[in-house]
Amino acid sequence: AVAQERKIDRVTYSAEIKLHDTGNVAFLGELKKAIAEGELSMHYQPKIDIPTGNIHSVEALMRWNHPEKGNIPPCLFIPRAEQSTLINLLTEFALDEAIKQIVQWRQYDINIPVAVNISINDLLHPGFYNLIANLLDKYGVSGEFLELELTEGVMIIDMEKSNAELMKLKKLNISFSIDDFGTGYSSLQYLHLLPISFIKIDQSFVRRLPSERHGVSIVEATVMLANKMGIKAIAEGVENKESYDFLENIGCDIAQGYLISRPLPADDFTKFYLQCGGRYLPA
Ligand code: C2E
Ligand code: MG
Ligand code: MG
Ligand code: MG
């Protein structure tokens, strides 16, 4: 009875917060409308396989083009959407767009995986596996062309359930990345427990390489850890040639950042890819 009371307490508490936060309710309503009115789109940013220079994959990043407010960056609406079930709608939109885009690129002989960011509430949502399986089936795309980026916190909350979901998705040949590595929970347990293919080293450690001493140590250690565990290391936020050279020298596998390209609308990415022949060679 005591446990039940506590549970009710918590529900009432959170419901109260949401009810009083009318600003948020209005905002979420606007965001929901944005999906229907076509104000959301995905941009794509390449990731480079450092040893060969080949474009390894792209990351799909959401953009909201608001009719009055202009471009709203994801940091201003994703965290708010994550507090409600609206995030599931946004993720569905992102997955649908990304998987459709994989098919579009085939006509240009662009055959690379697309990585989609997913949130805490997506992986543990009971319909998530079916959503993905149905989309892949609907568009005729193999799971090897889909990567999912998750932050450390997602897995830690319920490791057993996360693992079960990832293992199911893995059977579709989907691969998984830990995003913003080094900024979340400090437990490293999930690295050997969960079927992770990529670690994305957070840009806060990468941006000022190699001049920033702490960044150097953290990136070197993470690349070594990843290598030893058979996981590929991806550096995000590579903004200059010095960082890229440093990453190449320490054996980092993959680089992503403004040095190579900003996130681009699909058509612009197509041009970028065709212009460089799918290969980035730093000057
Ligand atoms: P993230 O997944 O870590 O994505 C990388 C972010 O770094 C992107 O910001 C990208 O534009 C930015 N970036 C890439 N290269 C550089 C660089 O060289 N320098 C700097 N300073 N920044 C760089 P963006 O697009 O604003 O997205 C921010 C975050 O919003 C993402 O971080 C991700 O957590 C979230 N997000 C974006 N799109 C989605 C989505 O479709 N679904 C979900 N759940 N989250 C999303
Ligand atoms: Mg990401
Ligand atoms: Mg990140
Ligand atoms: Mg992030």
Side-chain angles (χ1 to χ4, degrees):
V2 173
Q4 190 133 30
E5 243 168 57
R6 272 208 210 108
K7 205 167 158 195
I8 289 167
D9 264 7
R10 214 181 302 139
V11 170
T12 316
Y13 177 69
S14 63
E16 223 164 56
I17 290 180
K18 290 218 174 89
L19 278 179
H20 285 290
D21 191 358
T22 48
N24 212 32
V25 171
F27 178 84
L28 292 174
E30 225 182 319
L31 183 49
K32 196 167 178 181
K33 215 179 90 211
I35 306 177
E37 316 242 302
E39 292 167 20
L40 298 181
S41 65
M42 304 307 289
H43 282 196
Y44 299 90
Q45 186 180 36
K47 303 183 217 175
I48 305 301
D49 178 65
I50 296 175
T52 61
N54 292 334
I55 297 181
H56 171 276
S57 52
V58 287
E59 176 172 12
L61 295 155
M62 195 174 287
R63 299 291 178 259
W64 181 1
N65 194 337
H66 192 281
E68 287 121 44
K69 295 175 197 153
N71 288 322
I72 305 179
C75 62
L76 293 183
F77 66 89
I78 299 277
R80 294 174 81 172
E82 275 172 346
Q83 317 234 318
S84 88
T85 52
L86 193 52
I87 190 61
N88 302 128
L89 275 183
L90 292 185
T91 300
E92 186 172 347
F93 173 82
L95 285 165
D96 192 281
E97 287 289 305
I99 296 171
K100 230 173 2 199
Q101 192 55 52
I102 294 167
V103 178
Q104 291 294 310
W105 277 326
R106 277 187 198 155
Q107 58 183 305
Y108 301 98
D109 252 321
I110 300 175
N111 296 295
I112 48 173
V114 177
V116 175
N117 292 281
I118 67 166
S119 296
I120 179 152
N121 296 329
D122 295 317
L123 185 66
L124 301 180
H125 190 283
F128 190 61
Y129 174 87
N130 282 338
L131 168 69
I132 292 196
N134 289 340
L135 284 172
L136 290 173
D137 189 55
K138 174 175 157 196
Y139 292 115
V141 167
S142 154
E144 11 165 5
F145 288 97
L146 185 63
E147 294 172 8
L148 299 178
E149 298 194 1
L150 306 108
T151 51
E152 294 165 82
V154 179
M155 325 286 203
I156 304 292
I157 295 213
D158 191 340
M159 188 97 82
E160 226 167 282
K161 206 156 166 234
S162 298
N163 191 36
E165 288 309 308
L166 293 183
M167 292 311 284
K168 255 165 60 185
L169 290 162
K170 181 114 195 135
K171 292 213 177 92
L172 300 173
N173 291 321
I174 294 167
S175 46
F176 313 104
S177 316
I178 300 290
D179 207 344
D180 306 336
F181 184 81
T183 63
Y185 292 73
S186 55
S187 165
L188 294 174
Q189 234 186 353
Y190 60 85
L191 284 184
H192 72 93
L193 291 177
L194 303 175
I196 303 298
S197 301
F198 306 98
I199 287 176
K200 299 192 77 178
I201 307 169
D202 191 68
Q203 43 178 285
S204 58
F205 307 118
V206 175
R207 269 202 310 260
R208 286 175 298 273
L209 287 178
S211 59
E212 216 256 328
R213 203 163 43 88
H214 294 294
V216 166
S217 311
I218 290 168
V219 171
E220 276 183 346
T222 307
V223 167
M224 200 185 290
L225 173 70
N227 283 349
K228 294 217 168 186
M229 298 192 74
I231 297 172
K232 290 205 165 181
I234 303 179
E236 27 177 36
V238 182
E239 292 186 349
N240 56 61
K241 180 73 170 43
E242 292 71 41
S243 303
Y244 191 96
D245 291 344
F246 172 82
L247 292 163
E248 183 166 32
N249 281 332
I250 64 164
C252 182
D253 302 286
I254 296 167
Q256 175 182 0
Y258 294 168
L259 170 72
I260 300 136
S261 168
R262 296 213 167 226
L264 300 169
D267 288 348
D268 291 348
F269 177 78
T270 306
K271 283 183 207 131
F272 173 86
Y273 187 101
L274 296 176
Q275 222 155 47
C276 69
R279 231 166 141 219
Y280 169 78
L281 295 170

